[in-house]
């Protein structure tokens, strides 16, 4: 095999710019490999085809990646002799990495000075923990009020999850940049906050604890320092929920956010065949991002009878041939040391699997997208200490990123007013915030459209969601949303279309087409949006014209492919179709659906005793159930099994253990949760003590 092994990279993307990066060398278990300068260890290993980072000392089980966000410890490797979380540490030139197989040998004793250094202190009026959409939006409002602000974030750039989002955002154009791609919103917010001289940013910095004297402990590299703020805003986002099933701990089973980090931030082709559990917006969008990266999406399961995310997101997947299995659940995952197959089954009205409905799919990646939990430990610590603390974004309430932007703006205004500066929060902002946080509303049947001739847009958005870009983008103001809010279904209220295509290109849900029936004869033209690689479609291709939910109407030809800078990387594909179906064509399919495998086995009605619940310490559901049945209601007593004592500090397993209590018929109110650690993240003792290496 050639020494140059970093071949699992995305070389072309329809939305993201792929630039040449400086390559640096490193070793993993003695083999020389290559990375891109600036990327984290996990991405470099994935780019080299390495999915197993080590083996657990308890049972030699393979360890891979799960969150890619520093919240668990699945990706631990030994870097230059020191155990680190691979998703948080960047590769350095000639770095020596080893897999964590068994218990690592202790490094050689390092010599430190015999005096404690005085920790530095930074004073600021407002400390914002988290540089995602909520944190930056709050900082902008505080900057307008002239307050000193310090934003700390544990990543190398601001933006949070926005930097992973290649799709255009919903919401309102005026308030939250609706119609703009998440990656571009991140840039705009970062540039805007940079205009305020009193707003400073500390990247690669982690807040680790809140203390009774009103100080916050921060770690940046080998430096530990304190801040003394007058007010604190917690905008640290959310962590992904886990899901218990046999094989849930296999390498290849990880969170949707981790997948988006690999594919959209680091441009690593992390998968060939992908399966998704969860039909909320996170799972639906991750599936679409996979298609953009050229990865086959084998299927998606959702335990409810309909997806919980926006219907337009689901429709996009269906039109690209992705099967969505509602009223289904995952039974198990299998493979020799890593994921190779996924078994699903239909569920009954009580969500129990129906025996005989099992199907097994070949897949190398299974994304868990079953919801998020707020990262609110620092908020709760600060609240207990009696500090002036606020929260915004997912740390406050799980919602869409557009809602996080607006909640950050509101929090910034509140803080400024409480510090006796700035403007009050406008009354209408609270109402707007509630609308942006709204779950999808009612879905209405599509109205039959019959136009004998002419040029006109057709709107396939028929679910109540907060979105208004289509009403702002039309130069003739043809599209309106009836009523006072933005949750109603958009309508076309006049016939003045000029054929500018702007509504087709800028609809966040890709749910508008342009129909041209002006030509004589039996055929007309339908222009549809397309956001996959331009290499996949060309003039003269025969494709299957599809209605909104993926049903094939007929085979048609591609008449034209329009690519203009003004359309923000959205291709417009013009199809020649029979006039009688022109108003029903919502998209097209390029290829057949990836077939699933033979019927599988693995039927079960509840989580099996062998299923691993605590990933850090490899504790099974059976071991925990035994103690629950013996009367244990204080989760701290489960630490006899070492639950909650691993590197994640119980963040990953606590909600899963609570689900086991529920399965055993125990009311959650009877359960005493883990006692939180004083420091919420790992800090080397020499850094905490202020000892300098000689």
């Amino acid at each position: 095999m050639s020494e140059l092994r970093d071949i699992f990279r995305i070389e072309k993307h329809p939305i993201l710019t792929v630039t040449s990066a400086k390559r640096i060398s490193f070793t993993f278990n003695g083999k020389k490999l290559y990375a891109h300068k600036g990327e984290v260890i996990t991405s470099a290993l994935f780019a080299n085809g390495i999915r197993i980072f080590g083996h657990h000392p308890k049972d030699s089980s393979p360890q891979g990646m799960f969150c890619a966000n520093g919240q668990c410890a699945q990706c631990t490797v030994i870097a230059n002799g020191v155990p680190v979380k691979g998703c948080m540490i960047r590769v350095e030139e000639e770095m020596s990495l080893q897999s964590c197989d068994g218990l690592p040998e202790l490094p050689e004793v390092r010599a430190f000075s015999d005096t404690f250094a005085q920790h530095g202190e930074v004073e600021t009026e407002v400390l914002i923990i988290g540089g995602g959409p909520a944190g930056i939006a709050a900082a902008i409002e505080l900057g307008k009020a002239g307050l000193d602000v310090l934003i700390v974030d544990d990543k190398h750039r601001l933006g949070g999850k926005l930097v992973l989002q290649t799709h255009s955002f919903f919401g309102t154009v005026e308030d939250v940049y609706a119609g703009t791609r998440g990656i571009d919103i991140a840039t705009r917010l970062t540039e805007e906050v940079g205009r305020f001289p009193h707003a400073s940013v500390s990247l690669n910095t982690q807040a680790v604890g809140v203390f009774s004297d009103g100080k916050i402990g921060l770690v940046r590299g080998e430096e530990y320092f304190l801040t003394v703020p007058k007010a604190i805003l917690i905008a640290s986002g959310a962590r992904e929920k886990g899901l218990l099933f046999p094989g849930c701990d296999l390498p290849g089973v990880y969170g949707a956010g981790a997948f988006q980090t690999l594919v959209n931030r680091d441009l690593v082709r992390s998968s060939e065949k992908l399966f998704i559990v969860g039909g909320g917006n996170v799972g639906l969008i991750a599936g679409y991002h996979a298609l953009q990266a050229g990865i086959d999406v084998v299927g998606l399961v959702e335990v409810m009878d309909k997806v919980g995310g926006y219907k337009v997101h689901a429709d996009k997947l269906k039109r690209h041939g992705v099967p969505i299995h509602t009223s289904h659940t995952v039974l198990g995952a299998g493979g020799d040391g890593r994921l190779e197959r996924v078994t699903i089954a239909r569920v009954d009205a009580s969500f129990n699997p129906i025996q005989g409905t099992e199907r097994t799919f070949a897949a190398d990646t299974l994304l868990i997208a079953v919801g998020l939990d707020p990262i609110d430990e620092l908020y709760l610590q600060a609240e207990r200490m009696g500090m002036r603390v606020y929260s915004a974004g997912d740390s406050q309430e799980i919602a869409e990123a557009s809602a996080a932007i607006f909640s950050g703006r509101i929090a910034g205004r509140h803080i400024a007013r409480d510090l006796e500066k700035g403007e009050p929060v406008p009354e209408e902002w609270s109402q707007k915030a509630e609308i942006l946080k709204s779950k999808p509303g009612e879905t209405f049947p599509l109205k039959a459209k019959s136009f004998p001739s002419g040029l006109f847009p057709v709107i396939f958005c028929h679910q109540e969601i907060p979105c208004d870009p289509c009403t702002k983008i039309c130069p003739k103001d043809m599209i309106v949303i009836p009523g006072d809010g933005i949750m109603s279904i958009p309508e076309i209220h006049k016939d003045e279309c000029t054929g500018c295509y702007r509504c087709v290109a800028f609809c966040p849900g890709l749910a508008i087409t342009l129909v041209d029936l002006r030509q004589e004869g039996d055929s007309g033209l339908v222009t549809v949006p397309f956001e996959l690689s331009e290499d996949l479609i060309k003039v003269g291709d025969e494709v299957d014209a599809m209605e909104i939910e993926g049903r094939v109407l007929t085979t048609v030809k591609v008449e034209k492919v329009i690519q203009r800078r003004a359309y923000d990387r959205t291709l417009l594909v013009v199809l020649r179709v029979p006039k009688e179906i022109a108003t029903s064509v919502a998209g097209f399919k390029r290829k057949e659906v990836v077939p699933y495998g033979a019927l599988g086995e693995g039927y079960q009605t509840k989580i099996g005793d062998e299923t691993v619940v605590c990933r850090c310490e490899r504790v099974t559901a059976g071991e925990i159930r035994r103690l629950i049945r013996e009367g244990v209601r204080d989760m701290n007593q489960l630490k006899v099994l070492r639950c909650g004592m691993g590197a994640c500090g119980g963040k990953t397993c606590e909600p899963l253990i609570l689900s086991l209590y529920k399965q055993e018929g125990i009311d959650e109110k009877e359960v005493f949760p883990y006692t939180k650690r004083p420091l919420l993240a790992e800090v080397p003792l020499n850094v905490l003590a202020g000892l300098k290496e000689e």
Side-chain angles (χ1 to χ4, degrees):
M1 181 178 291
S2 170
E3 188 182 70
L4 303 178
R5 296 177 56 211
D6 60 332
I7 58 174
F8 295 91
R9 296 193 181 274
I10 296 169
E11 297 181 350
K12 191 172 184 180
H13 195 281
I15 307 300
L16 301 169
T17 301
V18 181
T19 58
S20 58
K22 180 182 179 182
R23 299 173 80 236
I24 59 175
S25 63
F26 68 102
T27 61
F28 182 69
N29 292 337
K31 294 183 179 179
K32 187 174 183 179
L33 304 173
Y34 288 86
H36 283 178
K37 182 177 175 59
E39 71 182 351
V40 295
I41 292 170
T42 46
S43 295
L45 293 175
F46 262 73
N48 283 277
I50 297 168
R51 306 291 187 265
I52 298 174
F53 302 153
H55 295 82
H56 200 280
K58 182 176 180 179
D59 58 5
S60 297
S61 59
Q63 301 291 284
M65 183 186 70
F66 182 71
C67 77
N69 196 33
Q71 297 295 311
C72 72
Q74 289 291 106
C75 61
T76 299
V77 294
I78 310 299
N80 294 337
V82 179
V84 300
K85 293 179 179 179
C87 69
M88 301 298 291
I89 304 298
R90 296 194 192 191
V91 182
E92 298 175 358
E93 183 76 59
E94 302 301 327
M95 178 180 273
S96 174
L97 301 177
Q98 284 86 38
S99 58
C100 217
D101 288 312
L103 292 174
E105 293 184 8
L106 293 176
E108 294 183 6
V109 176
R110 296 156 63 188
F112 291 93
S113 61
D114 56 3
T115 57
F116 296 104
Q118 182 69 34
H119 290 308
E121 291 191 2
V122 176
E123 291 191 4
T124 183
E125 290 181 287
V126 184
L127 171 66
I128 298 177
I129 299 174
I136 308 175
I140 291 169
E141 292 298 323
L142 292 163
K144 292 176 181 177
L147 286 158
D148 288 326
V149 180
L150 172 61
I151 309 173
V152 300
D153 193 272
D154 59 3
K155 302 299 189 297
H156 71 282
R157 62 163 291 186
L158 294 178
K161 290 295 189 288
L162 289 176
V163 303
L164 312 180
Q165 309 303 331
T166 61
H167 60 283
S168 297
F169 269 43
F170 295 78
T172 59
V173 173
E174 179 184 5
D175 299 310
V176 293
Y177 311 97
T180 304
R181 301 186 188 279
I183 50 176
D184 299 325
I185 296 174
T187 300
R188 289 175 64 172
L189 287 173
T190 301
E191 291 174 348
E192 189 170 352
V193 78
R195 297 190 185 106
F196 296 101
H198 298 293
S200 57
V201 178
S202 181
L203 298 174
N204 299 308
T205 303
Q206 191 165 18
V208 298
V210 182
F211 305 108
S212 58
D213 58 0
K215 298 178 181 179
I216 315 296
L218 303 172
V219 174
R220 180 175 54 211
E222 293 289 305
E223 179 189 11
Y224 176 81
F225 62 103
L226 300 165
T227 59
V228 191
K230 294 180 180 178
I232 309 165
L233 174 64
I234 306 299
S236 45
R239 65 174 61 89
E240 295 181 272
K241 291 182 177 180
L243 188 66
L244 295 177
F245 53 87
C248 64
D249 57 315
L250 278 172
V253 181
Y254 50 88
F259 172 78
Q260 290 172 314
T261 297
L262 287 167
V263 172
N264 290 346
R265 187 191 73 182
D266 298 334
L267 291 170
V268 173
R269 185 181 173 86
S270 59
S271 177
E272 296 297 327
K273 292 183 180 297
L274 180 77
F275 204 92
I276 302 168
V277 180
N281 278 338
V282 172
L284 297 171
I285 291 170
Y288 191 65
H289 290 169
L291 294 175
Q292 288 182 324
I295 295 170
D296 285 334
V297 182
V298 182
L300 180 149
V301 292
E302 166 56 50
V303 74
M304 305 301 289
D305 60 357
K306 62 180 180 180
V307 298
Y310 294 168
K311 188 177 184 299
V312 287
H313 285 319
D315 291 341
K316 286 190 295 185
L317 292 184
K318 291 176 181 178
R319 294 199 297 270
H320 285 294
V322 176
I324 296 178
H325 309 276
T326 53
S327 297
H328 277 72
T329 189
V330 60
L331 288 184
D336 184 11
R338 58 171 293 180
L339 181 75
E340 296 173 347
R341 57 189 177 275
V342 178
T343 300
I344 69 170
R346 181 176 291 278
V347 298
D348 60 22
S350 299
F351 305 112
N352 294 314
I354 301 172
Q355 195 163 7
T357 64
E358 303 93 338
R359 285 182 287 177
T360 297
F361 297 76
D364 59 18
T365 304
L366 178 62
L367 298 190
I368 307 301
V370 294
L372 303 168
D373 284 322
I375 299 176
D376 58 2
E377 295 88 358
L378 286 165
Y379 178 85
L380 297 174
Q381 274 191 350
E383 192 176 47
R384 284 195 298 270
M385 300 299 179
M387 302 178 70
R388 180 178 276 164
V389 62
Y390 307 77
S391 61
D394 283 346
S395 295
Q396 179 185 58
E397 182 180 354
I398 303 300
E400 298 302 305
S402 55
I405 294 171
F406 208 72
S407 74
R409 293 180 64 190
I410 291 174
R413 285 284 185 99
H414 277 308
I415 295 170
R417 289 296 290 176
D418 289 349
L419 295 179
E420 300 181 351
K421 293 185 179 181
E423 299 294 327
V425 178
E427 291 183 7
E428 66 271 16
W429 279 23
S430 296
Q431 182 181 4
K432 286 183 178 181
E434 291 304 313
I435 292 173
L436 291 171
K437 290 187 291 186
S438 298
K439 303 297 182 184
E442 187 176 351
T443 299
F444 298 90
L446 274 177
K447 297 178 181 178
K449 298 178 178 66
S450 177
F451 295 93
S453 62
L455 177 70
F456 48 86
V458 176
I459 300 176
F460 290 95
C461 175
H462 57 117
Q463 182 186 48
E464 293 175 329
I465 57 175
C467 189
D468 74 357
C470 61
T471 68
K472 310 293 184 183
I473 203 69
C474 177
K476 295 294 185 179
D477 297 322
M478 285 181 57
I479 303 174
V480 298
I481 296 177
D484 297 328
I486 60 168
M487 290 290 288
S488 300
I489 308 301
E491 297 177 352
I492 299 169
H493 76 116
K494 58 184 178 180
D495 182 14
E496 296 182 9
C497 184
T498 62
C500 70
Y501 301 116
R502 290 173 63 82
C503 60
V504 181
F506 288 98
C507 171
L510 305 186
I512 299 179
T513 65
L514 186 68
V515 175
D516 186 353
L517 302 180
R518 294 175 297 181
Q519 298 179 0
E520 295 183 359
D522 297 331
S523 67
L525 301 176
V526 177
T527 303
V528 301
F530 187 72
E531 288 190 328
L532 305 191
S533 173
E534 62 186 81
D535 296 338
L536 299 175
I537 195 73
K538 60 182 184 297
V539 174
D541 282 353
E542 289 193 346
V543 297
D544 289 331
M546 307 180 81
E547 50 83 65
I548 183 172
E549 293 190 347
R551 182 174 64 89
V552 175
L553 296 170
T554 188
T555 298
V556 299
K557 279 193 174 184
V558 175
E559 184 89 359
K560 185 189 300 185
V561 177
I562 303 171
Q563 184 177 28
R564 296 176 186 169
R565 178 175 293 183
Y567 297 154
D568 192 23
R569 291 155 284 183
T570 298
L571 293 179
L572 302 182
V573 179
V574 183
L575 308 174
R576 182 164 291 281
V577 306
K579 284 185 176 180
E580 64 267 19
I581 65 167
T583 58
S584 299
V585 175
F588 62 91
K589 184 175 68 173
R590 304 172 291 106
K591 59 181 182 178
E592 295 302 317
V593 176
V594 179
Y596 57 79
L599 290 181
E601 298 179 353
Y603 173 80
Q604 59 180 30
T605 58
K606 66 176 184 179
I607 301 303
D609 282 346
E610 76 285 359
T611 302
V612 172
V613 178
C614 174
R615 291 169 171 266
C616 294
E617 299 293 335
R618 303 289 298 174
V619 183
T620 65
E623 293 174 286
I624 297 170
R625 278 199 182 103
R626 176 176 58 81
L627 291 184
I628 292 175
R629 291 169 182 173
E630 289 176 2
V632 170
R633 299 296 180 266
D634 184 346
M635 286 181 60
N636 292 295
Q637 292 180 269
L638 298 178
K639 291 179 180 178
V640 70
L641 302 173
R642 294 198 57 80
C643 277
M645 296 182 69
C648 86
K651 300 185 188 78
T652 306
C653 65
E654 183 175 33
L656 299 176
I657 293 172
L658 289 173
S659 71
L660 290 180
Y661 273 104
K662 184 177 180 180
Q663 284 187 4
E664 293 297 314
I666 309 301
D667 192 317
E668 191 172 319
K669 295 178 181 178
E670 298 180 35
V671 182
F672 188 83
Y674 287 138
T675 300
K676 303 300 181 185
R677 296 176 182 177
L679 294 181
L680 299 176
E682 304 92 326
V683 184
L685 287 177
N686 68 293
V687 174
L688 187 64
L691 295 176
K692 300 298 182 181
E693 189 170 3
E694 291 183 349

